[in-house]
Amino acid sequence: MMYRIIADAAMVVHFAFLAYLAVGGFLAWRWRRTIWAHLAVAGWGLLSIVTGVECPLTVIEDWGRRNAGLAGLPAGGFIDNYIEGVIYPEQYTNLVRLGVAVLVLFSYVGYVLRRQ
C-alpha cells in the first residue's frame, strides 16, 4: 500500500511540476523571487528534452509501481504514459513543446517589463 501511495504522489508532483513549468513564470510577475525556482524548472525541462535524461520523479513513480506489484511505466516514462496520446495526439509533440516554450518566453518578457 505504501509503495502505491509513493507512486501516486510522484505522479501528482510530476503533473504539478509540468503545470509550474508552463505557467510558473507568470507567478513571478506577482512573487518576484519565484523566478529563480522557475528558471531551475525550465532549465530542467529543457535539459530533459535535449539530452533525454530521465526525471527522478519518473524513477520514483516507476519504483513505487513495481514494488506495489503494478506494471512499471512504459519505456517513454511519464510523458508517454500520461501526456502524449492522452492530452494531445503524439504527432503534435513538437508543436506542444514550442507552445510551452513560447508561453515561458512570454512570461519572462512580461516579468522583465513589469520589473522596470
Side-chain angles (χ1 to χ4, degrees):
M1 178 68 171
M2 183 56 74
Y3 292 116
R4 177 67 188 261
I5 292 171
I6 291 170
D8 290 346
M11 177 192 59
V12 168
V13 170
H14 218 151
F15 273 112
F17 183 89
L18 291 176
Y20 185 69
L21 171 65
V23 298
F26 294 104
L27 294 176
W29 290 14
R30 172 71 173 96
W31 298 285
R32 294 185 187 275
R33 291 185 182 176
T34 63
I35 194 68
W36 299 109
H38 192 265
L39 284 168
V41 167
W44 177 260
L46 183 62
L47 179 72
S48 68
I49 289 171
V50 172
T51 66
V53 67
E54 191 169 26
C55 180
L57 290 168
T58 301
V59 174
I60 292 169
E61 181 185 354
D62 188 56
W63 174 81
R65 289 171 61 97
R66 290 181 190 279
N67 283 303
L70 304 170
L73 290 173
F78 179 86
I79 299 294
D80 283 355
N81 193 44
Y82 298 112
I83 308 292
E84 287 180 355
V86 177
I87 295 179
Y88 60 85
E90 285 185 50
Q91 65 264 27
Y92 296 118
T93 297
N94 289 331
L95 184 62
V96 169
R97 287 179 178 172
L98 177 63
V100 170
V102 167
L103 193 63
V104 169
L105 288 174
F106 180 76
S107 73
Y108 288 169
V109 168
Y111 173 81
V112 169
L113 292 175
R114 289 178 62 90
R115 282 195 68 192
Q116 295 176 353

